[in-house]
Amino acid sequence: VLMLMLITLLNDGTLIAIGYDRVTASKTPERWNLPFVFVVSAVLGAVACGSSLLLLWAALDSNNKDGVFAGMGLPPLEYGQVITAIYLKVSVSDFLTLFSARTQDSFFWTSIPGPILMAAATVSLIISTFLAAFWPESVVDHLPVVGLAHGDYTLMPLWVWI
């Protein structure tokens, strides 16, 4: 619950900052294309859910010598690190989905975000990454949690996955 509250707090701060994004105002009122909105949101949700489930499976299977993590040369994860890895994946993918959903007719990199939105997203990503990396070994909501920087693990493969 604590990690979900952190995701919500950081994500809401970024969503509030979207009000200061660069936009081109239309001369006529916008008309919502609801079938398109539903399809795009379903695809974004399915990709986020599917990649989270794949990461969970690979992380839980990280002690297998023939597993995905071993094939990438990554050390196995403790159960507390699996929880933290899922926290980081959900947190980061939420922030980055905002950038893929903020443009209508083109790819997200064709429209530069406003400085306030970019600063809010950068701060949120940095805070989430540092929390996931350096979370002290503890029990949160009756589950063991440990930061990903403890032991032989590095955050780079997880960032590549996201």
Side-chain angles (χ1 to χ4, degrees):
V1 174
L2 176 64
M3 289 181 162
L4 288 175
M5 289 176 27
L6 288 170
I7 290 171
T8 302
L9 179 68
L10 294 170
N11 198 17
D12 285 352
T14 305
L15 289 176
I16 289 170
I18 202 168
Y20 299 97
D21 195 14
R22 292 187 177 130
V23 291
T24 305
S26 176
K27 295 182 183 197
T28 60
E30 292 291 329
R31 185 177 173 118
W32 286 81
N33 183 353
L34 289 181
F36 178 75
V37 170
F38 290 142
V39 168
V40 169
S41 62
V43 168
L44 289 174
V47 168
C49 181
S51 64
S52 294
L53 290 173
L54 281 172
L55 176 62
L56 178 62
W57 169 76
L60 289 173
D61 193 46
S62 65
N63 289 311
N64 183 358
K65 294 177 185 174
D66 298 324
V68 175
F69 276 39
M72 293 171 40
L74 297 173
L77 293 177
E78 299 174 22
Y79 187 71
Q81 289 176 317
V82 171
I83 292 172
T84 309
I86 295 298
Y87 158 77
L88 182 61
K89 191 272 172 213
V90 170
S91 181
V92 170
S93 67
D94 280 356
F95 301 137
L96 297 182
T97 300
L98 171 71
F99 288 105
S100 65
R102 62 180 274 282
T103 57
Q104 183 176 0
D105 296 329
S106 57
F107 292 106
F108 70 92
W109 60 79
T110 59
S111 174
I112 299 172
I116 294 175
L117 175 61
M118 195 62 168
T122 302
V123 167
S124 294
L125 289 171
I126 289 171
I127 290 172
S128 290
T129 302
F130 273 99
L131 284 173
F134 303 112
W135 194 283
E137 190 169 346
S138 58
V139 176
V140 177
D141 296 324
H142 308 292
L143 294 170
V145 180
V146 62
L148 295 172
H150 297 279
D152 297 335
Y153 201 74
T154 176
L155 290 175
M156 186 54 69
L158 187 58
W159 268 93
V160 170
W161 177 273
I162 295 169

